[in-house]
Amino acid sequence: MRTQVAIIGAGPSGLLLGQLLHRAGIETIILEQRSKDYVLGRIRAGVLEQGTVELLDEAGCGSRMRQEGLVHEGIEIAFGGARHRIDLKALTGKTVLVYGQTEVTRDLMEARETAGAPIVYEALSARISDIETGHPRVRYRKDDAEYEIECDYVAGCDGFHGISRQSIPEQALRTYERVYPFGWLGILVDKPPLADELIYVNHPRGFALCSMRSATRSRYYLQCRLDEQVSDWSDERFWDELERRLDPEARKWLQRGPSIEKSIAPLRSFVAEPMRFGNLFLAGDAAHIVPPTGAKGLNLAASDVAYLSRALASRYRSSSTAELDAYPQRALARVWKAVRFSWWMTQMLHRFPEPSGFDERIQAAELEYLFSSKLAQAALAENYVGLPY
Ligand code: RFL
Ligand code: PHB
């Protein structure tokens, strides 16, 4: 088989890249190691920046998102028994859209099927070779048969645990990492959200987040210890603990219900530089991870893909590689700003094990400064709605 760009991974990065390249007249094959249902069963991000929304429109996949997505003009931060609103719209002129990653993925999969572009699910043991030549190859196994794709470029969109980054020789990659001493326990429930906007909670018992997927489906998170298991948390224990971390007004509106999904995610910041080796380009979680506190992971995947799709389109239009050569630097400049913001939000909103008195006072001062300064709020808002690209 031959194609122009082989894309590894059918998460949001791979699917969006495939769609944008298809619209630019560039041939792709997407390889995904899991089944379609498995990919659609993962519950992840919920907040889209305006830039991500516009990119999905550009990819021709925005109609359901525009109909069903919830426009949010602000977020709330709860601390010390009071709630403080950050007015994103007034501070930046921009809003965010609450529309689940699952729905984004479904829309992109549908668009690919409509376009008749190839996507191979359950493509196992993918291996990339000849990366430094003009004819990289990707081999994989499906239903006990071996296949080989020859291509011009490989896009590594296979997430943090994928094989793309691992195919790059260690000495050609620099990695930066921070692992946080807690995780997020998330629950999805078919009950209306307790408020119209997201509430980020810094409570002495730990962080909590009240989010949503629609007017009838809520998503809640609790900071938990790294040694805890999902099985340690019955629904009842989850709701009791969430109630403890909420203010009385929020507690009044909380509607409990049976969980339809429950999972624990560890929190980390990670960046691999540069996001390229030979003719292999990394995008999304394959190159970087941020803790979810700033709602940046999916949005960073989208901005990587915007840069990469434009660079590949320019390469096929003009045969100049200048734009492709500029990709790592362009993408990483934006990545590091989102890494900083996500780290800062995480630092400000979670309770760390064994903090010193000094750490606690600094955290309180940070939050009190934020609540009292329009300029500090503007800086948060500018990052939350997404830096331009
Ligand atoms: P994905 O989504 O991990 O997709 C990678 C795909 O590659 C496949 N794969 C392979 N395929 C073929 N061969 C191999 N060897 C392969 N290895 C892996 C995988 O099966 C998968 O289908 O990465 P991608 O596309 O870069 O997308 C990144 C986003 O998924 C991620 O950044 C976000 O979900 C992060 N995130 C959030 N981001 C936001 O922007 N806003 C949020 O509100 C937000 N909330 C979250 C989050 C992530 C969370 N978790 C679970 C980590 C909340 C949570 C709890
Ligand atoms: C979510 O709804 O899953 C969500 C929202 C905001 C975040 C992280 C996750 O910061």
Side-chain angles (χ1 to χ4, degrees), residues 8-14 31-34 39 42-47 101 123 126 157-163 184 219 221 265 283-286 292 295-299 301:
I8 324 266
S13 311
L31 299 180
E32 165 60 51
Q33 70 177 0
R34 303 286 192 171
V39 173
R42 290 190 296 228
I43 307 297
R44 288 186 171 179
V47 177
Q101 179 167 334
C157 299
D158 49 354
F160 185 64
H161 299 288
I163 49 109
W184 276 21
R219 179 78 166 150
Y221 294 100
D285 279 14
K296 287 285 158 259
L298 170 60
N299 293 298

Side-chain angles (χ1 to χ4, degrees), residues 115-126:
I119 174 160
V120 185
Y121 292 102
E122 297 174 85
L124 302 177
S125 314

Side-chain angles (χ1 to χ4, degrees), residues 128-148:
I128 312 170
S129 63
D130 307 275
I131 303 176
E132 289 180 280
T133 73
H135 305 281
R137 283 162 208 280
V138 183
R139 295 190 184 80
Y140 66 96
R141 200 158 43 77
K142 163 109 183 152
D143 299 333
D144 291 329
E146 292 280 337
Y147 298 88
E148 182 178 287

